[in-house]
Amino acid sequence: MTTEPTPQSTVEHPHVINGPWTREARERAIQDEVREAYIEYFRKAVKVRNWLPWDDIPLDEVRQYGHLLSDDTITLIESFLGIEDYVGDYVEDAINIVRGNRERRNIQLVWGMEEAKHAEAWHLVLLHSGRRTEEQIRAYRDKVGAHRWRMREDHPGLDTPLGIAVYAMFQERATYFNYEELRKRIRLEYGLPERATPEERRRGYQVGAAAAFNIVARDEIAHHGMFLRIVDIHKKYLPAETLDMIFKVIQGFKMPALYLIPNESELKAALERTRLYTPLKHGRSVANPILDALGFENKRALERAAQEAKLLPPGCGPEHVAIGRSGEFVLSITPERTQVTPRRPQTA
Ligand SMILES: [Fe+2]
Ligand SMILES: [Fe+2]
């Protein structure tokens, strides 16, 4: 007499990884979690941040208040038009770098759709403020288009799937900070208080160009949050190389394409006069909040964690490892483990 073999379940749970923490198992776990991050990001991009530059910026007010903006503010907006207008190169470069990874490719496509709106927004603000003509803006954007941006030329060593995620996590937060600062500056020049007035809150959008900066800044902080989540997922499954990459980026961060924009020297002079974005402000408002969100009290803690991660025994998974805020690793190994259920990431 024979007995039927016990049927094996063929249904896989996305967060149950069988077997030891091989490189393949880690990459599979990353892919599964990045897919969830992608779906959530895509959903919000389309259903929550569903704005259009041609419909959602109060252009009549941009025209009414445009003459109040200083030349430095106009230079800064024009420079951000240039940086944003390299979107085609950012997307093309990133898609080639993440080739073979569907989730990361799709993130770059949706991200590019959102980013493409930003240059259009600054184009409209410059034009309707009455400070640049359509001809001038076209000539400026044509000069931008005459150059090609590449990650490996602007930021050598960051042209890997992990490198572009870590870099984007910093760049998006820095862009958010710059746009928030510029929004406050515009409000000051318009003669408005820094925060939205009760009337602006009631109607749901700020005055003129401040509305545009408020909307675009919201995109940028959402992008930051999405890349932070991607980096956090990598840190969980591949701590040594992820922490190394974060340390590398934090050491030498600079904004993209600055050397390529047509008004580079005017931008430098405007930044010196306005102090819009200084190394001190970068530390306080960009690098430190990122370190905090990744669970580190300072850069020294990150450096320590990056060193200690290299000493982890092979086969250690996220269920064995906790990292303290000062960068120390705490290990707990249970050898009888047969199944691993990774935790969900803490950041959103
Ligand atoms: Fe942008
Ligand atoms: Fe962005």
Side-chain angles (χ1 to χ4, degrees):
M1 188 180 160
T2 58
T3 52
E4 289 288 316
T6 312
Q8 295 286 315
S9 169
T10 54
V11 178
E12 279 184 51
H13 187 282
H15 287 306
V16 178
I17 310 287
N18 292 310
W21 282 109
T22 59
R23 177 83 196 189
E24 197 190 358
R26 290 171 198 274
E27 283 177 358
R28 172 74 199 280
I30 289 171
Q31 192 182 4
D32 286 346
E33 290 198 26
V34 168
R35 181 166 175 77
E36 280 189 12
Y38 158 62
I39 294 168
E40 279 180 39
Y41 163 66
F42 197 172
R43 185 175 286 132
K44 281 190 182 158
V46 174
K47 290 193 170 177
V48 181
R49 296 189 299 280
N50 56 347
W51 70 283
L52 283 172
W54 307 279
D55 299 343
D56 297 305
I57 298 172
L59 294 177
D60 48 341
E61 291 175 356
V62 174
R63 279 192 289 276
Q64 190 186 333
Y65 290 86
H67 67 284
L68 297 171
L69 297 177
S70 65
D71 288 345
D72 279 342
T73 296
I74 294 297
T75 297
L76 292 165
I77 299 172
E78 191 173 51
S79 306
F80 283 115
L81 164 63
I83 294 169
E84 294 278 6
D85 224 9
Y86 279 102
V87 59
D89 291 347
Y90 302 144
V91 173
E92 183 192 347
D93 202 59
I95 283 181
N96 283 320
I97 290 169
V98 303
R99 193 162 188 83
N101 183 328
R102 284 185 299 279
E103 287 71 27
R104 293 292 304 280
R105 174 200 64 197
N106 290 351
I107 284 173
Q108 294 304 144
L109 289 172
V110 179
W111 174 83
M113 177 276 286
E114 289 204 276
E115 292 292 353
K117 295 190 271 184
H118 300 172
E120 297 306 320
W122 305 153
H123 182 136
L124 290 170
V125 167
L126 290 170
L127 181 69
H128 290 275
S129 293
R131 306 296 291 275
R132 295 286 187 272
T133 65
E134 190 72 58
E135 265 316 299
Q136 287 171 323
I137 299 172
R138 183 174 298 143
Y140 181 90
R141 295 184 76 173
D142 285 350
K143 279 191 204 164
V144 168
H147 298 278
R148 177 180 278 248
W149 180 91
R150 281 206 179 89
M151 180 65 102
R152 70 165 183 268
E153 283 157 21
D154 203 357
H155 306 277
L158 305 189
D159 53 331
T160 66
L162 179 59
I164 58 173
V166 174
Y167 177 76
M169 170 180 72
F170 279 88
Q171 173 270 320
E172 295 287 355
R173 183 141 198 138
T175 308
Y176 165 75
F177 172 79
N178 277 310
Y179 288 170
E180 273 294 282
E181 292 298 288
L182 209 38
R183 183 186 60 79
K184 291 178 204 163
R185 187 178 164 85
I186 288 166
R187 292 184 64 83
L188 195 72
E189 292 175 352
Y190 277 1
L192 294 167
E194 193 172 282
R195 287 162 171 259
T197 61
E199 167 59 14
E200 289 173 300
R201 282 202 295 276
R202 190 193 54 74
R203 69 179 199 171
Y205 56 94
Q206 299 192 14
V207 171
F213 275 86
N214 194 36
I215 294 167
V216 176
R218 217 161 41 214
D219 280 2
E220 307 298 11
I221 199 68
H223 297 166
H224 162 71
M226 183 269 293
F227 284 113
L228 175 69
R229 185 166 165 187
I230 307 295
V231 172
D232 207 42
I233 292 166
H234 282 79
K235 173 177 153 249
K236 186 160 86 170
Y237 295 104
L238 295 168
E241 59 202 80
T242 307
L243 293 167
D244 250 357
M245 186 57 84
I246 299 167
F247 190 67
K248 187 172 179 177
V249 173
I250 209 170
Q251 285 293 76
F253 177 81
K254 60 181 168 62
M255 289 289 280
L258 288 178
Y259 71 107
L260 289 178
I261 60 169
N263 60 335
E264 183 197 4
S265 52
E266 287 93 330
L267 171 64
K268 276 185 182 157
L271 282 174
E272 258 173 44
R273 280 190 295 268
T274 60
R275 315 290 297 155
L276 187 88
Y277 177 61
T278 64
L280 187 67
K281 287 178 179 175
H282 175 83
R284 276 192 195 148
S285 301
V286 179
N288 289 348
I290 289 174
L291 285 170
D292 187 53
L294 291 169
F296 298 111
E297 61 194 16
N298 51 32
K299 203 160 84 176
R300 184 76 199 87
L302 167 68
E303 193 176 11
R304 179 181 175 187
Q307 294 304 323
E308 290 201 9
K310 294 189 179 74
L311 308 173
L312 286 174
C316 260
E319 76 284 17
H320 305 129
V321 179
I323 314 175
R325 285 192 63 79
S326 52
E328 77 282 11
F329 275 76
V330 181
L331 288 183
S332 86
I333 305 280
T334 46
E336 66 278 13
R337 174 183 59 82
T338 54
Q339 272 205 332
V340 174
T341 306
R343 295 185 306 271
R344 279 184 58 79
Q346 297 302 304
T347 53

